[in-house]
Amino acid sequence: MKAITVEPKKPGSARYEDIPEPDELEGSVLVEAIAVGVCGTDAEIVEGKYGWAPPGKTRLVLGHESLGRVLDPGPRSSLKKGDLVVGIVRRPDPVPCANCAVGEWDMCTNGQYTERGIKEIHGFMSERWRIEPEYAIKVDSSLGLLGVLLEPMTVITKALEQAFIIGQRAYWEPKTALVTGAGPIGLLAALRLKARNLDVHVLDRIDSGPKPQIVRDLGATYHTGSVLDLDFHPDVIVECTGVGAVIADSIQHADSGGIICLTGVGAGGAAGKVVADMAAAAVLKNNVIFGSVNANKRHWYRAGQNLKNADPQWLGRLITRCEKPENFQMALERQPNDIKVVIQFSEI
Ligand SMILES: [Zn+2]
């Protein structure tokens, strides 16, 4: 079968090639790939900055934002042939740490977890893949291709769960929310904050393309420019850019008691003074700045409900490009109007 593979830590090693059928050890459920979403992590792996092949192997099958159709449910699953499924990405560490032991592998403390398409387990960018029944999440068939948004939705479902749990540390009545970065994660954050009846604002660098109208159609407000120029102080900020200056501005501009949820990783570059100012602002306003990564089964289950409750037409506008697997390099190259790009392996 065909797959998109890469030799991790070796730039330019990605290729679309023939590999053996998936190993039965990877799970008793056999799935035909429909689509796989592409994100910044995939680009980093292809650029040789990140990623680990399975033990004893040199190459890794890429892809962690999956959507597939069950070909063979195997002997011990409640799935049926033809069901649409998405694969959970992370597996608990083998020790396991206390968090993994209770199924909260998203909070793994020893770093020995594995992740499909990222860390030591093959991903989903192959014509067929296998999965353990307990890690296959069935998605409503009415979602169709939109099911490929489940993994990004789990990230936001977890992040907002954490933000609102943290909010319970004190009497807290959040009214305004700011999302920085109008990529797929940011737009899904805006969708879910709107569902919590907040006054939602989204800030991004660009003022063209589909993003401004997509935000307005949610009933949210679109901004460009600096966070510091906003004429209000948000109660909740979901930071999705990972850009040092945006993070620093967000921390400084949050309201008292505000909660800043960092979901973006990357373009840091914060100098000493900036970090000091950030810390001071957080301390003096009793703010919580927290990191959030990955999601556990509870979040995956909830995310499926969140997708199903959303307007499918609006969700569909987040998928701005579908590429064939052989054109995966084009899928990885960011274009100005891209929101979510998917690689489509078969018809839905
Ligand atoms: Zn662990």
Side-chain angles (χ1 to χ4, degrees):
M1 65 171 180
K2 293 283 192 194
I4 298 165
T5 70
V6 63
E7 187 177 333
K9 311 281 167 60
K10 192 172 174 190
S13 64
R15 57 181 186 244
Y16 182 55
E17 63 174 351
D18 281 304
I19 64 165
E21 289 292 321
D23 193 325
E24 289 194 24
L25 291 174
E26 288 173 0
S28 55
V29 181
L30 179 65
V31 179
E32 171 190 31
I34 295 170
V36 185
V38 172
C39 83
T41 304
D42 300 307
E44 285 195 348
I45 294 171
V46 168
E47 288 163 14
K49 294 175 184 164
Y50 200 68
W52 296 262
K57 302 261 166 50
T58 53
R59 299 188 72 81
L60 170 75
V61 175
L62 200 61
H64 58 277
E65 298 182 8
S66 62
L67 175 67
R69 187 184 293 113
V70 174
L71 288 175
D72 178 0
R76 53 181 194 95
S77 119
S78 57
L79 293 165
K80 291 193 262 319
K81 189 173 189 291
D83 281 347
L84 296 186
V85 287
V86 174
I88 291 179
V89 178
R90 190 174 283 195
R91 297 293 176 278
D93 79 78
V95 175
C97 74
N99 293 68
C100 285
V102 301
E104 296 198 354
W105 52 73
D106 56 315
M107 305 294 280
C108 179
T109 56
N110 67 19
Q112 294 180 48
Y113 60 81
T114 53
E115 289 180 326
R116 294 202 62 158
I118 301 170
K119 190 167 182 274
E120 298 171 13
I121 329 177
H122 285 317
F124 302 108
M125 287 188 187
S126 53
E127 288 180 288
R128 284 169 291 285
W129 39 270
R130 283 186 170 274
I131 191 155
E132 314 88 319
E134 61 274 28
Y135 289 97
I137 299 289
K138 183 179 166 181
V139 293
D140 198 277
S141 61
S142 67
L143 281 170
L145 187 62
L146 300 175
V148 80
L149 297 172
L150 183 66
E151 196 277 348
M153 181 62 101
T154 69
V155 172
I156 275 310
T157 302
K158 187 250 175 117
L160 293 186
E161 177 204 79
Q162 299 284 301
F164 282 81
I165 287 172
I166 291 167
Q168 299 314 303
R169 74 197 164 125
Y171 184 76
W172 191 53
E173 255 185 4
K175 294 186 175 61
T176 54
L178 171 67
V179 176
T180 50
I185 296 286
L187 292 172
L188 291 173
L191 171 76
R192 293 306 305 162
L193 288 161
K194 205 61 207 169
R196 288 177 182 258
N197 289 320
L198 294 178
D199 178 18
V200 178
H201 298 257
V202 178
L203 181 139
D204 195 275
R205 276 179 305 182
I206 63 165
D207 203 9
S208 59
K211 290 176 179 178
Q213 197 56 44
I214 287 175
V215 167
R216 286 178 199 124
D217 288 348
L218 264 186
T221 310
Y222 193 84
H223 303 265
T224 54
S226 168
V227 172
L228 297 178
D229 292 335
L230 296 173
D231 63 359
F232 66 98
H233 296 282
D235 297 307
V236 191
I237 300 181
V238 182
E239 206 298 305
C240 306
T241 71
V243 176
V246 179
I247 295 170
D249 291 352
S250 297
I251 292 169
Q252 296 194 46
H253 205 65
D255 203 0
S256 293
I259 291 177
I260 296 129
C261 170
L262 307 179
T263 69
V265 178
K273 183 181 182 309
V274 175
V275 174
D277 290 348
M278 282 163 52
V283 170
L284 295 173
K285 294 196 283 187
N286 293 297
N287 287 350
V288 175
I289 301 157
F290 79 100
S292 185
V293 67
N294 203 262
N296 69 31
K297 197 161 186 176
R298 171 172 85 252
H299 307 117
W300 283 82
Y301 182 79
R302 182 73 75 188
Q305 296 175 323
N306 291 344
L307 273 190
K308 195 164 182 291
N309 291 337
D311 173 3
Q313 286 221 316
W314 185 89
L315 277 179
R317 289 159 70 192
L318 303 190
I319 300 175
T320 45
R321 211 150 49 91
C322 284
E323 296 285 3
K324 291 181 175 152
E326 53 267 42
N327 297 330
F328 73 92
Q329 292 285 9
M330 281 165 63
L332 289 166
E333 280 166 28
R334 280 199 70 77
Q335 294 178 9
N337 291 340
D338 281 345
I339 296 177
K340 176 54 69 184
V341 177
V342 304
I343 298 175
Q344 192 155 2
F345 282 80
S346 63
E347 289 303 313
I348 183 79

